[in-house]
Amino acid sequence: MFLLYRRLPSFARTTTTLLCKSMEPAITTTTATSSFGGGSSRLAALAQQLRQYKPPPSSSFDDAEETQTDQETAGKVVSQVGFQESIAPVSKDPERFKPKRAAVLICIFEGDDGDLRVILTKRSSKLSTHSGEVSLPGGKAEEDDKDDGMTATREAEEEIGLDPSLVDVVTSLEPFLSKHLLRVIPVIGILRDKTKFNPTPNPGEVEDVFDAPLEMFLKDENRRSEEREWMGEKYLIHYFDYRTGDKDYMIWGLTAGILIRAASVTYERPPAFIEQCPKFKYPKMVEKHTCMP
């Protein structure tokens, strides 16, 4: 584990230091003959496996414009309620709903004990909204971003100082819709040489940088769920409690949903608990201010 400011966890000991089918991602991946040398044979095999992953095709909103701006998050993707885009009713009629695009980085590396771990952040407690919540590095796409991989790695560099050249982007998952109907693309990247990453969080946005075992999001341990309802359909929000050193974190909502999916794809097995994806009935019209509860 690594945490900043208070102690040097496992990541730092070797340095000093966002349910159920969707579209094929718009992303550029590096090839096996790229400049990403080093790393274990396990990471090399994982990269090869993930490059073969292709989400089932569904509706597409490429190059879509925003119909609702989430002013509260200032373009950042935090732990809000979210669903995979294909199960939400707004995905069935792209002419009526064109969400803003965003991307988050699921950066996987090999821990000291050989387990696969993922980098997470805790938002600054000084922020006026969503302060102290756990999220994946990421944010809204900018005009100059050539693909989702660039969006995710650019945001990670801005938030935690992760050099994009250290990340081997291998695939992306199906899009998720956030609480405010922001279209979030989870991008999976592999950090082959963790010793080259010295987290430097942006103090205006990030309070802590830490890592957690990816497999924990498939286990029915330290997890609870809460039933909610939207548009007459019930669904579950998952909460994962995680303790590292003297700090406790709660990973929930959109972030938890994305990590459950990422872990399922990485380990090629479903979670040991019921996800309970809602089965929406398509409304006659999705209004401008429709959002998740």
Side-chain angles (χ1 to χ4, degrees), residues 31-52:
T31 64
T33 57
S34 70
S35 59
F36 290 91
S40 68
S41 57
R42 182 183 187 186
L43 288 180
L46 177 62
Q48 180 85 16
Q49 169 199 322
L50 292 175
R51 285 191 187 96
Q52 305 304 313

Side-chain angles (χ1 to χ4, degrees), residues 135-154:
S135 65
L136 290 157
K140 289 183 181 178
E142 295 185 355
E143 187 176 349
D144 294 337
D145 293 342
K146 67 178 183 179
D147 57 30
D148 299 317
M150 177 174 285
T151 299
T153 55
R154 172 183 55 75

Side-chain angles (χ1 to χ4, degrees), residues 170-242:
V170 291
T171 194
S172 64
L173 305 179
E174 47 268 56
F176 281 66
L177 287 176
S178 76
K179 176 181 178 181
H180 293 278
L181 305 182
L182 179 69
R183 185 189 191 205
V184 182
I185 314 296
V187 174
I188 298 182
I190 293 177
L191 178 64
R192 299 209 183 196
D193 190 352
K194 62 183 179 181
T195 64
K196 293 183 178 179
F197 175 42
N198 180 24
T200 52
N202 181 337
E205 299 180 29
V206 177
E207 184 172 298
D208 279 335
V209 182
F210 68 101
D211 58 273
L214 183 60
E215 194 174 15
M216 70 174 273
F217 299 101
L218 295 179
K219 297 179 179 180
D220 196 11
E221 302 171 5
N222 300 313
R223 183 199 67 88
R224 63 188 187 280
S225 62
E226 179 181 319
E227 189 174 72
R228 299 267 183 103
E229 184 173 322
W230 188 50
M231 296 175 62
E233 290 293 329
K234 294 181 179 180
Y235 62 93
L236 292 178
I237 298 178
H238 299 279
Y239 298 80
F240 292 88
D241 295 309
Y242 180 62

Side-chain angles (χ1 to χ4, degrees), residues 121-139:
T121 71
K122 179 182 179 182
R123 283 169 59 84
S124 172
S125 59
K126 297 179 181 179
L127 293 173
S128 59
T129 58
H130 305 290
S131 60
E133 292 193 1
V134 172
S135 65
L136 290 157

